[in-house]
Structures are given as structure tokens and as C-alpha cells.
Amino acid sequence: MCTTIRQCIAHIAIGALLVMHAVAFSSPRETVRPYRLCTSIQSMVSDEEAEMVLEDNFYDEEFDEEERSSVALADKKKQQQPIRQFKRPKKVPLIAVVGRPNVGKSALVNRIAGTQSGGAIVADQEGITRDRTYRTAEFLGETFQLVDTGGLVFDDNDAIFAAEIREQAMIAIEESSGVILVVDGQMGPTAMDEQLATFLRKDVLKKMPVLLAVNKCESDKNGAYLASQFWSMGLGEPFAVSALHGVGTADLLEKMFEDIVEKGSAIKGFGTKVKELQAAQRAMVALDKGEPLEGEDENDVFLRKYGIGRDTDEVIRRYEEAMSAFDDEPTMEEINVAIVGRPNVGKSSLLNTIFGSKRAIVSDIAGTTRDSIDAVMERPPSPSNPDAPPTLYRFVDTAGIRRKGKVEFGPEFFMVNRALRAIRRADVVLLVLDATAGVTEQDRILAQKISDDGRACVIICNKWDAVIDKDSNTYDQSVKYFREELPQVRWAPILFVSAATGQRCGKIYDAVDSAVAAHRKRIPTSVLNEVLRDATLWQPPPARRNGAQAKIYYGSQVSTRPPTIVVFVNDPKLINDNYRRYLDRKMRESLDGFESTPIRWMFRGRRVRDVTRNMNGSPGDGGSGTSFPFPHAI
């Protein structure tokens, strides 16, 4: 009976499958979804096998071209969005420094990080720090990051950008492994300090350690008394510190490391390098003296002499591992990209669009950004080379640079200095312009500064979406206009983007990669001399009225970043600026790869007999050759 029931069920199932198969083949072809079938196949087999199925015309021809185009469009979208926020390694924890305005947070960050010169901007004025900035610090052999935040104000009517600053500080706290609350010891506890302490005690203290640093306690006599006033905040022992003199910062960091290890808010092993080394050293000393090791007694020592019990090699291995923990670990190279421009041209908006989140505060008020803001991005390798390491970009948003005559000594003076310093330490500079306002004199000054510093450059014309009455000729006319108005960086590529809508912002990465490659390009000496020979044949060097004419012997590239070419001539004074620009133009026309970088030309005087001795004949024969590299040099 059971067998009959099983047979009936099997027949019914087979019949249902046949009906479904017939319906599938009798249904109109428009209802077939081959891409879904391809997706299911790719989920079961490898990508290479799936591509072979597609290449073998797995689907009918009338659907093949359409589905291929849809797959290609999907792959193109994936390639246009290869950037993701760089996830900091857990082995480098973050410690957030928070507090109300003007209590010395930035000064304390500079003291701990050792960046008193060139660190965060410090002034006796509220609201200097607005965005969150990161500084690298080292203490007891441990490397960590300090996150400097703006002054926290819970009443939005008290300060400008209060809500934005609070949002930045909350992000810094969320990604940190520990928090340092900075208060003013000279002023004593305030209602705002109490609010911050209550918030940290209720919402943050459960997840990570929170320490109270009482700043401005330089005096040994009064420091402990000033710090004792803050016991009522409920954050444990207040530490009397001085950001100006460095008093108490070591005790503060030691306690922070101990609490991080206790709460486990950072990677395992952080903060224990010194203690582990000290324990390993004590074990080595005890081993040499024949004393009991940790956890041993006299019997264990007696047995260890005969090779029974703990192995002596284990103690030596422990000491070597403790010492090797202090070695510098290899890090990936970061491409520094500085974003510079006049105030209110959209630099911070462009950074937020690239970063994919609200990394910097943006407003219509000129001068919103005060200090330089670093944002690290990671770009995965291309699908064609998946084994290649990812590329790291460090985008540096700078404050708007106004004319020198309008900048007074004070916070803005240091803001401009930070921006100019960002240009000098950058690999590529994004010169942001306002497409609706055109080129101003300050833009030309910045372009000249970039060229003089020898930095690769990409011109970013922002607010392209705000340009009205665009037609088919607007793009070409705009390119021609910016080329004519910015001759200082005539070699730089131009991108018309919109930070508000994200239009063409994805092309910035390819432009940066091309600029880095051009900035580090090296040309063989033989190819360089061929280009110089052709250039001098087309246009000989200039001659003076007295008949003196420059003679070019040979040239050689001596360095990169930027490419630097030394040309040996009979008299460098005979080479004027026009001929320098001519050689530069011929070099770019003859060789590819110099579209985004300046080329430095250096002319050195040489005597003819020195040139023949160095350039001709076999090595070691004293320059017995007679030929010259250029016909005009005879």
C-alpha cells in the first residue's frame, strides 16, 4: 500500500515538472529573464566559467546584445565607484579629546603629539577648531591617533556652527577607543562641564574609558587643589595637566593605556609593550642568576638545571618577541592630495562628496574651514590586477586663501600658512575654481605658487551645475578661457565638476593617478637628447647682437617629483625665458606623460673640452672621441 502511494506521488511530481517545462517553453520570449539565470549560474560557478558561458552564446542572439550591454553598464558603475572610506587598523586606536570651547584641547593635542610647531591652530579665541582633525602620537612605544574636536556646546544659540561642531565631536567619540575630557582648572567647574561629564558618564563610559584632564595647572602647589574641584563630576580621579608645559601628560596617558587594556576597547596587546618587555627582562636576569622565574619555586630551579621543566629557550624567545614589538611596521604609501582655492569655492563640499560623508563642515559663509582636514581614502585594485595592493589617498582640505594684504596676523594668518604648507607636502594639488565666477587674481597667485613648488596639479572647476545657458560649445569655450587665464599651469588637466550633485567627481581619482605617474616619470638620457636635438634643429638657441649664441651640449634628468632636467650649455645667461618655454613645450609635444606636472629646467655652463671628455669615446680612454651630440655644438 505504501509503495503504491509513493508511486502515485512520484508520478504527480513528474507530471508537474513536465507541465512547468512546457509552460516555460510555450511562454512568450519577452517574459524570459536571461540575466537572472546568468546571475544564478555565476553564484554556483566561478566568474571565468560564467564568462565562458556568455561567450558561447548561451542565450539567443536577440537577447545577447541587450544583456551584454546591461552587464557592461553594471560593471562600469562598479568601476566608477571604487573608493571607500579607509578603515583605520584597530592596532592604531583613536583617543578623542573633547571639552567646551577654549579650554586648551588643541594645545593638549599638540603637546601629546609633539606638534607644537605646525600642529593644530591655537589662539585665545573661541571657535578656532571646528572640524575634527587627526594627529599621530607615540607614547611608551605605542602608536595611536589623537582626534581633536571643536568646543562642544549643547545650546545652539550660544555659538556659530554649534550643531555642526557637536556632530563632528560625536563622530570622533563613536570611532575612538578612549576619551579625554578637558576642563579649565583656572575657571573651575562650570555648568557646561557638568553637562559634558553627565553625557560621557551615562552614554560613553560603559564602552570605553573616559579620563578627566584639568588643564592650566602649571603650579605644583596649586595644581592638585585646582584638580580636586572636579571630583564631583563622577569621572574618577582628575589629572592636573598643563598643555603649555607638559605637566601630568605622562600620568594621563599611562592611566588611559591601563583603562583601555582593562576595558578591551582596542586591539589585544595594545598598551602592554613596555610591561611585557620589563617582565621579559626580569626573566632574563633571573635566568642568568639562577633565580626562580615567575611561578617557579626552588625545586623548579633545581630541575631546570638538568633540562627538566621550563625551557630556557622560551625565556629568550619571549625577550626577543618583546623587543621586536617595538620595531616599526611597514606601512602603505599614501598619496597626498591637497585641495586649495579661494574662500567659498566649494573645497569642503568637494571633500565631503569624495569622502562619501560629512567629513567637513560646509556653509555659505566664507572662511568656515579653519584648520587643514585630512581624510584617508582607500581604492581597491582594478579587476584586471586583483593581486595588486590598494591605493591610499590622503585628501587634505585647506582653508580658503585670501590676498596677502587682507590677511591680518592672527588665526587667519596661521590658517593660510597651513594651506601653503599643505601644498608643499602634497603629491598632487587640486586647484578648485568657481566656474560661475571665472578666474581671479588670487587664483593666478595660487597657480603660480603650485608651479613654483613643483607640485602636480589638476584644475577643478566646481559649480558646473550652476552655469546657465550651456550648449554644445560651452565646454570648449570654458576650457579655452581657463587655459588663457591660467598660463602658470597650462599643462594641468581641467575637470568641470559639481560637488553638490557629484557630477564627474569620480574622474578625480583617475586624474590624480595620472598626475602622480607624471610627477614621478623618468626619461632615458638618450631619448631626452633626441628631443633636445630635434628642438634645437627646429629653433636654434637665441643669439645676441654681439654674435654670442648659446650652444646646447647635452641634457640629463637628475630627479623626479617634479621631473628635473639639467641642460649643459656654453653660457646659461644666453638662454632666455622664451627659449625655456619653447623647450618645455617641445618636450611635452614629443613625449607623453607630462600633462599634469611641471618640468624644472636647469642650465649649467660647461667648456667644450669638458663635454668632449665626458660624452665621447670609450670609458677610461680620457675622452678620445671626436663626435658631438648636436650638430650645432661644433
Side-chain angles (χ1 to χ4, degrees):
M1 184 67 180
C2 295
T3 306
T4 307
I5 295 175
R6 292 194 188 96
Q7 292 178 354
C8 293
I9 295 174
H11 287 303
I12 293 173
I14 293 173
L17 289 175
L18 292 175
V19 172
M20 293 173 61
H21 185 71
V23 171
F25 277 91
S26 62
S27 59
R29 301 189 63 87
E30 289 76 12
T31 61
V32 180
R33 302 297 299 171
Y35 182 68
R36 292 183 180 178
L37 181 59
C38 175
T39 304
S40 62
I41 292 176
Q42 288 183 347
S43 63
M44 294 183 291
V45 299
S46 63
D47 295 339
E48 293 78 5
E49 294 173 347
E51 291 177 0
M52 292 175 60
V53 172
L54 290 175
E55 291 177 357
D56 292 339
N57 295 327
F58 185 80
Y59 308 114
D60 293 342
E61 295 182 357
E62 57 181 304
F63 297 99
D64 185 67
E65 195 65 31
E66 179 182 356
E67 297 303 326
R68 285 178 184 271
S69 61
S70 63
V71 173
L73 181 60
D75 293 341
K76 184 177 180 181
K77 290 183 178 179
K78 291 181 180 179
Q79 295 178 1
Q80 288 179 353
Q81 299 176 353
I83 303 300
R84 62 176 180 267
Q85 179 179 349
F86 176 61
K87 302 298 182 183
R88 298 179 183 274
K90 293 182 179 179
K91 66 179 69 175
V92 184
L94 305 177
I95 298 178
V97 180
V98 300
R100 61 181 178 83
N102 206 28
V103 294
K105 298 182 298 298
S106 298
L108 183 62
V109 168
N110 290 341
R111 169 59 61 182
I112 297 176
T115 56
Q116 287 84 359
S117 177
I121 298 176
V122 177
D124 190 11
Q125 177 182 342
E126 295 185 2
I128 295 297
T129 304
R130 292 175 178 172
D131 304 276
R132 65 185 193 273
T133 57
Y134 296 83
R135 308 290 177 190
T136 303
E138 185 176 352
F139 183 70
L140 296 179
E142 304 283 356
T143 302
F144 58 97
Q145 291 273 340
L146 288 170
V147 188
D148 186 16
T149 61
L152 280 174
V153 178
F154 288 95
D155 189 359
D156 295 347
N157 297 325
D158 291 346
I160 189 173
F161 300 120
E164 290 81 0
I165 293 174
R166 186 168 59 251
E167 180 182 357
Q168 295 288 322
M170 295 306 173
I171 295 175
I173 294 174
E174 183 66 25
E175 64 180 0
S176 298
S177 300
V179 179
I180 298 177
L181 174 61
V182 184
V183 294
D184 190 346
Q186 299 291 335
M187 186 173 295
T190 62
M192 197 175 299
D193 293 331
E194 294 287 349
Q195 292 178 353
L196 288 174
T198 303
F199 162 72
L200 295 175
R201 187 174 61 252
K202 292 182 178 180
D203 299 340
V204 181
L205 190 57
K206 299 178 182 178
K207 300 181 293 184
M208 64 188 71
V210 179
L211 297 184
L212 183 61
V214 184
N215 193 23
K216 305 179 183 179
C217 294
E218 293 84 3
S219 175
D220 295 336
K221 297 180 180 179
N222 299 329
Y225 167 72
L226 296 176
S228 64
Q229 304 178 39
F230 294 87
W231 275 99
S232 60
M233 289 190 173
L235 293 176
E237 178 186 0
F239 289 84
V241 301
S242 173
L244 186 62
H245 299 89
V247 176
T249 54
D251 298 335
L252 177 68
L253 292 178
E254 287 180 1
K255 179 61 176 175
M256 174 61 71
F257 285 3
E258 293 177 359
D259 292 351
I260 288 178
V261 173
E262 181 180 353
K263 286 185 175 292
S265 57
I267 188 174
K268 184 179 180 181
F270 174 80
T272 60
K273 288 183 179 180
V274 174
K275 293 183 179 180
E276 181 64 24
L277 179 60
Q278 291 175 352
Q281 289 175 345
R282 289 193 299 267
M284 289 289 293
V285 172
L287 183 65
D288 293 339
K289 294 182 178 180
E291 298 177 354
L293 300 176
E294 184 179 357
E296 289 185 343
D297 53 15
E298 294 180 357
N299 295 330
D300 296 330
V301 175
F302 177 77
L303 294 175
R304 182 155 38 85
K305 292 181 180 180
Y306 297 95
I308 302 175
R310 182 178 296 184
D311 189 4
T312 57
D313 294 338
E314 179 184 350
V315 179
I316 299 175
R317 190 184 312 110
R318 179 185 179 185
Y319 176 76
E320 292 177 350
E321 292 177 356
M323 289 294 295
S324 62
F326 290 88
D327 296 338
D328 295 333
E329 297 181 358
T331 57
M332 298 175 57
E333 182 187 7
E334 295 178 349
I335 299 176
N336 292 325
V337 183
I339 305 175
V340 301
R342 295 183 294 107
N344 209 24
V345 294
K347 300 183 294 298
S348 298
S349 300
L350 183 64
L351 177 68
N352 290 340
T353 303
I354 294 174
F355 198 68
S357 63
K358 194 171 182 181
R359 181 63 183 82
I361 298 176
V362 177
S363 72
D364 295 333
I365 303 175
T368 300
T369 304
R370 297 291 184 89
D371 207 344
S372 297
I373 305 171
D374 292 15
V376 182
M377 318 291 292
E378 178 183 352
R379 186 177 190 180
S382 60
S384 60
N385 189 13
D387 297 333
T391 306
L392 293 184
Y393 302 89
R394 179 177 292 274
F395 288 90
V396 183
D397 182 22
T398 61
I401 304 176
R402 296 197 301 167
R403 297 179 60 181
K404 185 176 181 180
K406 295 183 178 181
V407 177
E408 298 180 358
F409 185 80
E412 187 177 3
F413 174 79
F414 296 104
M415 290 158 46
V416 173
N417 284 344
R418 297 292 191 278
L420 298 179
R421 186 177 300 173
I423 295 176
R424 289 193 295 268
R425 67 184 178 96
D427 295 310
V428 182
V429 178
L430 302 182
L431 179 58
V432 183
L433 308 177
D434 191 342
T436 61
V439 179
T440 63
E441 184 63 25
Q442 184 64 13
D443 294 328
R444 299 187 184 93
I445 295 175
L446 290 176
Q448 187 64 46
K449 176 65 176 176
I450 295 171
S451 179
D452 293 342
D453 289 343
R455 303 296 94 188
C457 180
V458 178
I459 300 175
I460 306 296
C461 297
N462 193 23
K463 305 180 183 180
W464 183 247
D465 58 324
V467 178
I468 60 176
D469 299 334
K470 292 194 292 287
D471 54 20
S472 58
N473 297 325
T474 304
Y475 177 81
D476 295 333
Q477 294 175 356
S478 300
V479 171
K480 181 179 179 181
Y481 166 76
F482 285 105
R483 290 291 184 206
E484 293 177 352
E485 294 295 328
L486 292 174
Q488 299 86 353
V489 288
R490 58 188 179 277
W491 34 264
I494 301 177
L495 292 179
F496 294 91
V497 304
S498 172
T501 62
Q503 182 183 11
R504 299 193 187 93
C505 290
K507 296 184 178 181
I508 294 178
Y509 307 110
D510 294 333
V512 169
D513 292 341
S514 301
V516 170
H519 201 231
R520 304 176 181 180
K521 186 177 180 61
R522 184 175 290 275
I523 340 167
T525 303
S526 58
V527 176
L528 174 62
N529 286 308
E530 289 180 5
V531 175
L532 289 176
R533 182 185 294 112
D534 294 341
T536 52
L537 288 176
W538 281 102
Q539 179 65 45
R544 294 182 178 178
R545 293 184 178 180
N546 57 2
Q549 185 178 12
K551 296 181 180 180
I552 297 179
Y553 300 127
Y554 69 97
S556 177
Q557 183 177 354
V558 295
S559 65
T560 58
R561 304 186 186 187
T564 304
I565 299 174
V566 175
V567 181
F568 294 94
V569 299
N570 57 346
D571 187 1
K573 297 180 181 179
L574 298 177
I575 305 295
N576 54 25
D577 293 338
N578 291 334
Y579 201 74
R580 290 171 184 259
R581 289 190 290 268
Y582 166 73
L583 291 179
D584 188 271
R585 179 172 59 85
K586 294 297 292 184
M587 180 67 65
R588 298 179 187 277
E589 291 177 354
S590 303
L591 300 176
D592 296 332
F594 292 102
E595 291 78 12
S596 305
T597 179
I599 301 177
R600 283 181 176 172
W601 294 86
M602 304 173 66
F603 295 87
R604 296 289 183 264
R606 296 290 298 272
R607 292 180 298 180
V608 177
R609 61 182 182 181
D610 295 335
V611 174
T612 57
R613 181 180 296 112
N614 296 334
M615 290 294 296
N616 299 283
S618 301
D621 63 357
S624 59
T626 56
S627 61
F628 288 85
F630 303 132
H632 68 271
I634 302 178

